[in-house]
């Protein structure tokens, strides 16, 4: 059957498809009848457009095939029911779309789209197809509205670009310490460097994110978790301080005030944690602490030969067959016959097979993102390649770079470029031009001191920067498009210290980078020491114990510049970014199942990771009120099915909102009927698909992944709706006194000076 052949004419098609829908709208609304209105849930598919003459056009949920940088390729099923006809005509169209991604709210908006091909059974009039292509290109973005990032990722069939994947990361085990008591690992970056704090009139250990001061009595005092500890040396051993000298009250008040914006996030579990006295373990080099509350309590995992240490905040397992222990640290697996040492790296695809059998929705399903071959790992890898996008105003955006003395540069190994060593900013020198990356924006200048203008093309050699360089993360900031007024840029998770390594994602490169110390202390990104754990929505979170004021976030200590200095900056990547907290003592539910809303809060509503926020000259995060418009839609919480408990039982609801129409790469259209049987659209009828061939298996997989994506979206909204309301100005973003239109230069973190 040839589509549109007898009834449609070229002039009328544009009016028929979209023009008539506008006739009922008020002037200038630009809204399509049947499109996503204020009260309509945009999560429901298909999108229906009803024309003045009664023609009904339905656009079904996209099936993405590739998502790279800010470009998404997808195929869509479409149907057209002409007025007076009883049966619609089904077809498939393909799109290449430029998109804007809001990772905080897990939404994707189509900015512009090309439709290279459209196909109907038996072919169609080419002229009609061309008109339909043009109309879809013009109207698809506003017709479809915003898309769920999690639904796209779950169904994505991606061809990964090798240049975006990390290679040669360091997997050597750090110093792994085990303790059977509640403990905190305190890191000092090398030998302690003491500097005078003019506000406190005390010497402070500059090269640590923890508050360590030397008092007039010669004793060292550590403040964190609402408690004071004391030792004769900065490196310990520390014990409870008891009554402290009165002059330390000023220190305590400053730390508490600086962290007061986090008070609204403290739940009962973390509050009780604040009342506990911890063992203090100090390390002057890369290390990780694993612990249990008393002797390890081994709890079996149903359906596997694995047990996990249930009285530990860490991810510690034992394979009952080999009696080997396994621990997950910053996304990397290590194994040992004993908890007390001899840990060796294990690739994610070399783990015992039972790790992939850990049930989603179980207490330890959070590790599935680090187990090769799981859906969680596949989604994590794809998510790591989806950029946070923004457009940068070429006329107003700028930055400042502050050096410790005159600018000093050193060769950037693996390239012909040089990089600035005595600054917290990421500054490169290439072919006589200076480049700076400030909070995800490329700038350039003819001088290391500026003035800095928005860059329109980054150096090609950036892709050659090795992971052993402290500026490795800047290769994950890209420039996509340039107009006379704006430059479209974006960064993937590598800029925030999260990398794809083989079949999974890991935190940090694993390399230790020498800091700059010469009056200022500039830390470089660390991989180890903070018990980093992966979360499918918030990315990487700090582990147990690192709440309650352990770090100095945003304290003005009279060091550094701009009056605002937080020496946690730089340890986790760009200066304005820090990971979200993981407050609760123990995980009691997993990340992926329907029970996620009972898990520890990830505070997705307030701890954002979009570092384009809160700076001038950059337009990003276009979604209203920093919240998805679908969080309160009916049925968002109680909708059955998905991939947690009860997965696979989601009914196919009758009616126009059945989300069960798919197309294959050849343009054939399929649906699953109310009896869960697949049908193919042939000769204007739905005909059963016989057998259990590869096509049926692929369709089953597509349906499962679509259901999985819907459940991920619902779980994200649950988590956010159950999170406490923000108190004060907390979150990952701290405006500071540096440049960048109100943003602090990034790359090496905050500085301290004498």
């Amino acid at each position: 059957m040839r589509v549109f052949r007898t009834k449609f004419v070229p002039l009328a098609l544009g009016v028929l498809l979209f023009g008539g829908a506008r006739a009922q709208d008020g002037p200038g609304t630009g809204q399509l009848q049947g499109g996503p209105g204020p009260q309509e849930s945009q999560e429901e598919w298909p999108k229906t457009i009803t024309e003045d003459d009664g023609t009904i056009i339905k656009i079904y949920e996209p099936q993405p095939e590739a998502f790279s940088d800010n470009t998404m390729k997808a195929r869509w099923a479409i149907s057209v029911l002409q007025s007076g006809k009883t049966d619609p005509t089904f077809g498939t169209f393909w799109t290449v779309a430029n998109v804007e991604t809001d990772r905080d709210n897990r939404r994707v908006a189509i900015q512009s789209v090309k439709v290279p091909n459209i196909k109907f059974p038996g072919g169609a009039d080419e002229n009609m197809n061309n008109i339909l292509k043009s109309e879809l290109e013009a109207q698809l973005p506003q017709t479809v509205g915003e898309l769920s990032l999690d639904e796209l990722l779950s169904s994505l069939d991606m061809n990964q670009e090798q240049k975006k994947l990390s290679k040669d990361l360091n997997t050597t085990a750090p110093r792994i310490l085990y303790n059977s008591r509640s403990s905190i690992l305190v890191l000092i970056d090398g030998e302690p460097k003491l500097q005078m704090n003019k506000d406190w009139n005390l010497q402070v250990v500059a090269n640590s994110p923890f508050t360590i001061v030397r008092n007039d009595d010669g004793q060292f005092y550590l403040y964190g978790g609402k408690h004071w500890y004391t030792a004769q040396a900065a490196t310990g051993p520390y014990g409870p301080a008891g009554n402290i000298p009165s002059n330390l009250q000023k220190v305590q008040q400053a730390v508490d005030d600086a962290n007061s914006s986090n008070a609204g996030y403290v739940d009962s579990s973390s509050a009780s944690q604040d009342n506990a006295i911890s063992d203090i373990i100090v390390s002057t080099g890369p290390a990780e602490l694993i612990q249990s509350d008393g002797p390890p309590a081994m709890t079996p995992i149903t359906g596997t030969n694995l047990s996990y240490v249930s009285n530990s905040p860490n991810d510690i397992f034992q394979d009952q067959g080999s009696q080997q222990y396994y621990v997950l640290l910053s996304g990397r697996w290590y194994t040992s016959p004993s908890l007390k040492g001899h840990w060796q790296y294990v690739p994610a695809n070399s783990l015992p097979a039972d790790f992939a059998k850990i049930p989603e929705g179980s207490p330890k399903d959070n590790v599935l993102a680090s187990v090769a071959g799981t859906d969680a790992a596949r989604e994590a890898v794809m998510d790591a390649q989806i950029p946070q996008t923004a457009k940068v105003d070429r006329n107003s955006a700028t930055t400042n770079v502050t050096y410790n003395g005159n600018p000093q540069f050193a060769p950037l190994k693996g390239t012909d470029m040089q990089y600035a060593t005595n600054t917290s900013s990421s500054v490169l020198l290439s072919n006589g031009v200076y480049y700076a990356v400030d909070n995800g924006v490329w700038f350039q200048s003819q001088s290391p001191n500026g003035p800095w203008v928005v860059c329109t093309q980054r150096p090609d050699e950036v892709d050659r920067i090795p992971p052993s360089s402290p500026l490795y993360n800047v290769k994950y900031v890209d420039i996509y498009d340039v107009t006379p007024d704006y430059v479209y840029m974006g960064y993937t998770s590598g800029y925030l210290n999260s990398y794809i390594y083989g079949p999974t994602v890991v935190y940090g490169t694993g390399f230790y980078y020498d800091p700059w110390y010469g009056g200022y202390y500039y830390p470089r990104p660390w991989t180890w020491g903070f018990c980093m754990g992966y979360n499918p929505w918030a990315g990487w979170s700090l582990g147990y114990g690192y709440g309650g004021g352990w770090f100095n976030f945003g304290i003005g200590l009279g060091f550094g510049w701009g009056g605002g200095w937080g020496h946690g900056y730089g340890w986790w990547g760009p200066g304005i970014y820090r990971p979200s907290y993981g407050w609760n003592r123990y995980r009691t539910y997993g990340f992926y199942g329907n029970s996620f809303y009972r898990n520890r809060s990830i505070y997705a509503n307030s701890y954002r990771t979009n570092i384009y926020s809160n700076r001038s000259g950059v337009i990003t995060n276009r979604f209203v009120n920093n919240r998805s418009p679908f969080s309160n839609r009916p049925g968002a919480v109680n909708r059955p099915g998905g991939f947690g408990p009860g997965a696979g039982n989601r009914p196919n609801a009758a009616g126009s909102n059945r989300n069960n129409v798919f197309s294959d790469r050849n343009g054939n259209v399929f649906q699953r009927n109310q009896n869960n049987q697949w049908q193919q659209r042939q000769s204007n009828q739905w005909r059963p698909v016989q057998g259990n061939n590869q096509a049926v298996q692929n369709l089953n997989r597509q349906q499962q992944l679509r259901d999985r994506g819907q459940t991920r979206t619902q779980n994200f909204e649950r988590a956010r709706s159950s999170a406490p309301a923000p108190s004060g100005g907390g979150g990952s973003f701290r405006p500071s006194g540096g440049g960048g239109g109100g943003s602090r230069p990034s790359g090496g973190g905050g500085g301290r000076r004498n």
Side-chain angles (χ1 to χ4, degrees):
M1 176 179 177
R2 300 181 71 84
V3 183
F4 310 141
R5 196 156 183 75
T6 58
K7 294 291 184 182
F8 288 18
V9 295
L11 179 62
L13 182 61
V15 176
L16 177 65
L17 287 178
F18 298 103
R22 292 181 179 275
Q24 299 181 25
D25 295 327
T29 62
Q31 184 179 355
L32 297 173
Q33 182 181 348
Q39 302 302 321
E40 180 181 353
S41 171
Q42 298 184 45
E43 297 285 35
E44 299 298 339
W45 293 92
K47 308 297 184 187
T48 302
I49 303 171
T50 303
E51 304 300 331
D52 287 345
D53 68 349
T55 297
I56 298 175
I57 300 169
K58 293 184 179 180
I59 300 172
Y60 294 86
E61 185 172 358
Q63 295 168 254
E65 295 182 342
F67 200 151
S68 177
D69 296 332
N70 68 332
T71 302
M72 181 181 74
K73 298 180 180 179
R75 63 181 187 271
W76 315 59
I78 187 174
S79 69
V80 178
L81 177 60
Q82 293 177 248
S83 178
K85 297 287 186 179
T86 58
D87 296 313
T89 300
F90 282 80
T92 300
F93 66 96
W94 286 259
T95 60
V96 180
N98 289 328
V99 299
E100 179 180 289
T101 306
D102 178 1
R103 294 179 59 89
D104 289 336
N105 294 299
R106 311 296 293 173
R107 311 303 301 172
V108 175
I110 298 175
Q111 300 299 295
S112 62
V113 65
K114 293 294 184 183
V115 181
N117 195 14
I118 188 167
K119 179 179 179 180
F120 288 92
D125 185 281
E126 190 65 26
N127 196 30
M128 296 300 102
N129 275 1
N130 289 336
I131 295 173
L132 182 56
K133 287 180 187 179
S134 298
E135 294 294 342
L136 287 171
E137 289 176 352
Q139 304 298 340
L140 189 68
Q142 66 183 39
T143 302
V144 170
E146 297 161 7
L147 303 170
S148 163
L149 176 59
D150 287 302
E151 292 190 22
L152 293 176
L153 291 179
S154 290
S155 60
L156 187 61
D157 180 8
M158 177 178 285
N159 296 317
Q160 298 168 358
E161 295 185 39
Q162 291 301 313
K163 73 173 185 177
K164 298 297 181 186
L165 306 185
S166 298
K167 300 179 180 179
D168 301 322
L169 298 185
N170 188 2
T171 58
T172 302
R175 181 187 177 202
I176 301 177
L177 308 166
Y178 171 73
N179 198 9
S180 59
R181 289 172 49 88
S182 175
S183 306
I184 290 290
L185 179 63
V186 171
L187 295 176
I188 300 175
D189 192 1
E191 290 301 312
K193 306 290 186 182
L194 292 176
Q195 296 177 344
M196 178 59 66
N197 181 331
K198 297 177 182 178
D199 292 340
W200 298 346
N201 197 30
L202 292 171
Q203 289 185 314
V204 180
V205 176
N207 54 334
S208 173
F210 299 86
T211 304
I212 306 174
V213 299
R214 183 182 181 184
N215 201 16
D216 298 337
D217 58 8
Q219 288 287 106
F220 285 85
Y221 290 86
L222 164 70
Y223 182 68
K226 306 296 185 181
H227 295 291
W228 281 99
Y229 304 83
T230 186
Q232 294 184 356
T235 55
Y238 283 91
N243 294 325
I244 61 170
S246 60
N247 65 325
L248 297 185
Q249 292 292 343
K250 182 184 294 187
V251 179
Q252 178 174 333
Q253 189 65 48
V255 175
D256 290 346
D257 288 348
N259 289 283
S260 63
S261 60
N262 297 317
Y265 304 104
V266 179
D267 57 22
S268 58
S269 175
S270 58
S272 62
Q273 172 187 320
D274 285 343
N275 293 326
I277 299 294
S278 300
D279 285 354
I280 303 299
I281 299 175
V282 178
S283 178
T284 57
E288 283 282 355
L289 173 65
I290 59 175
Q291 57 187 297
S292 58
D293 188 7
M298 306 307 301
T299 301
I301 298 177
T302 304
T304 74
N305 201 33
L306 300 173
S307 296
Y308 71 97
V309 180
S310 56
N311 60 337
S312 171
N314 303 105
D315 295 315
I316 307 173
F317 300 83
Q318 187 177 44
D319 178 20
Q320 297 304 311
S322 65
Q323 293 296 297
Q324 285 284 114
Y325 288 97
Y326 292 83
V327 64
L328 180 64
L329 300 170
S330 293
R332 299 162 172 84
W333 288 97
Y334 296 91
T335 185
S336 171
S338 167
L339 289 175
K340 295 186 177 181
H342 307 291
W343 294 96
Q344 300 294 320
Y345 172 70
V346 180
N349 55 5
S350 298
L351 292 167
D354 277 1
F355 275 94
K357 300 177 184 178
I358 295 174
E360 290 185 325
S362 66
K364 281 297 176 182
D365 76 346
N366 60 288
V367 305
L368 289 172
S370 300
V371 179
T374 64
D375 287 333
R378 179 183 64 86
E379 289 164 355
V381 167
M382 288 188 285
D383 187 69
Q385 298 178 79
I386 307 303
Q388 174 66 60
T389 56
K391 65 178 184 179
V392 182
D393 191 328
R394 299 180 65 177
N395 299 311
S396 64
T398 187
T399 188
N400 294 321
V401 177
T402 301
Y403 300 91
N404 181 201
N406 294 323
Q408 298 184 28
F409 285 79
L412 185 57
K413 61 181 179 181
T415 75
D416 293 329
M417 299 186 295
Q418 295 182 318
Y419 76 103
T421 59
N422 60 332
T423 177
S424 65
S425 300
S426 300
V427 181
L428 298 167
L429 173 59
S430 177
N431 294 321
V433 179
Y434 295 90
Y435 298 87
V437 180
D438 174 16
N439 297 321
V441 178
W442 279 94
F443 296 94
Q444 67 182 61
S445 175
Q446 295 302 311
S447 165
N449 295 303
W452 298 92
V453 298
V454 178
C455 181
T456 59
Q457 183 175 3
R458 72 177 199 176
D460 292 336
E461 280 198 282
V462 167
D463 281 326
R464 294 171 51 193
I465 298 176
S468 57
S469 165
L471 268 63
Y472 178 64
N473 67 331
V474 303
K475 70 183 291 184
Y476 295 92
V477 182
D478 277 315
I479 297 173
Y480 304 132
D481 198 6
V482 177
T483 70
D485 295 320
Y486 295 99
V487 178
Y488 292 82
M489 299 191 191
Y491 63 86
T492 53
S493 63
Y495 185 56
L496 305 183
N497 221 22
S498 174
Y499 303 104
I500 299 169
Y501 190 66
T504 60
V505 295
V506 299
Y507 182 80
T509 65
F511 288 95
Y512 172 78
Y513 307 117
D514 291 327
W516 171 265
Y517 185 81
Y520 276 73
Y521 166 70
Y522 294 133
R524 308 303 183 191
W526 275 53
T527 299
W528 309 110
F530 304 106
C531 192
M532 289 292 185
Y534 183 77
N535 180 289
W537 299 284
W540 296 91
S541 298
L542 300 173
Y544 162 68
Y546 294 132
W550 274 102
F551 300 123
N552 287 340
F553 291 125
I555 304 176
L557 298 181
F559 306 118
W561 24 261
W565 163 82
H567 54 290
Y569 294 151
W571 290 72
W572 303 294
I576 203 169
Y577 166 77
R578 64 175 168 88
S580 57
Y581 284 138
W583 288 96
N584 289 359
R585 184 183 179 100
Y586 299 125
R587 301 186 184 105
T588 54
Y589 292 92
F591 285 142
Y592 292 93
N594 283 338
S595 60
F596 173 81
Y597 65 96
R598 293 178 289 180
N599 190 13
R600 66 184 188 178
S601 174
I602 59 171
Y603 308 115
N605 197 34
S606 51
Y607 282 102
R608 301 182 299 273
T609 57
N610 183 357
I611 64 174
Y612 289 131
S613 299
N614 294 355
R615 66 165 297 157
S616 62
V618 175
I619 301 174
T620 185
N621 202 15
R622 63 179 294 274
F623 305 100
V624 179
N625 296 328
N626 291 329
R627 175 177 283 276
S628 167
F630 318 118
S631 56
N632 296 319
R633 65 187 176 92
V637 173
N638 298 319
R639 188 174 184 177
F643 48 88
N649 297 320
R650 175 177 176 269
N652 287 309
S656 62
N657 288 329
R658 287 165 54 192
N659 193 23
N660 61 347
V661 177
F662 297 83
S663 64
D664 64 16
R665 286 187 173 86
N666 296 319
N668 300 308
V669 179
F670 300 85
Q671 75 165 4
R672 174 173 275 176
N673 65 19
Q674 294 181 356
N675 297 320
N676 288 327
Q677 296 173 331
W678 286 105
Q679 299 174 317
Q680 182 176 354
R681 191 72 174 180
Q682 294 177 326
S683 301
N684 215 30
Q685 296 181 9
W686 290 110
R687 300 181 182 275
V689 177
Q690 302 296 332
N692 188 29
N693 53 30
Q694 187 64 45
V696 171
Q697 295 175 18
N698 289 339
L699 289 169
N700 287 336
R701 176 64 173 166
Q702 286 293 316
Q703 183 72 68
Q704 292 168 3
L705 293 177
R706 180 173 288 181
D707 288 345
R708 178 184 178 88
Q710 291 169 347
T711 306
R712 278 174 57 99
T713 300
Q714 294 158 18
N715 282 348
F716 171 71
E717 295 298 345
R718 282 193 198 114
R720 185 159 59 178
S721 64
S722 64
S727 172
S732 297
F733 309 106
R734 307 277 185 178
S736 58
S743 295
R744 190 184 192 97
S746 61
R752 305 178 84 175
R753 63 182 171 94
N754 291 315

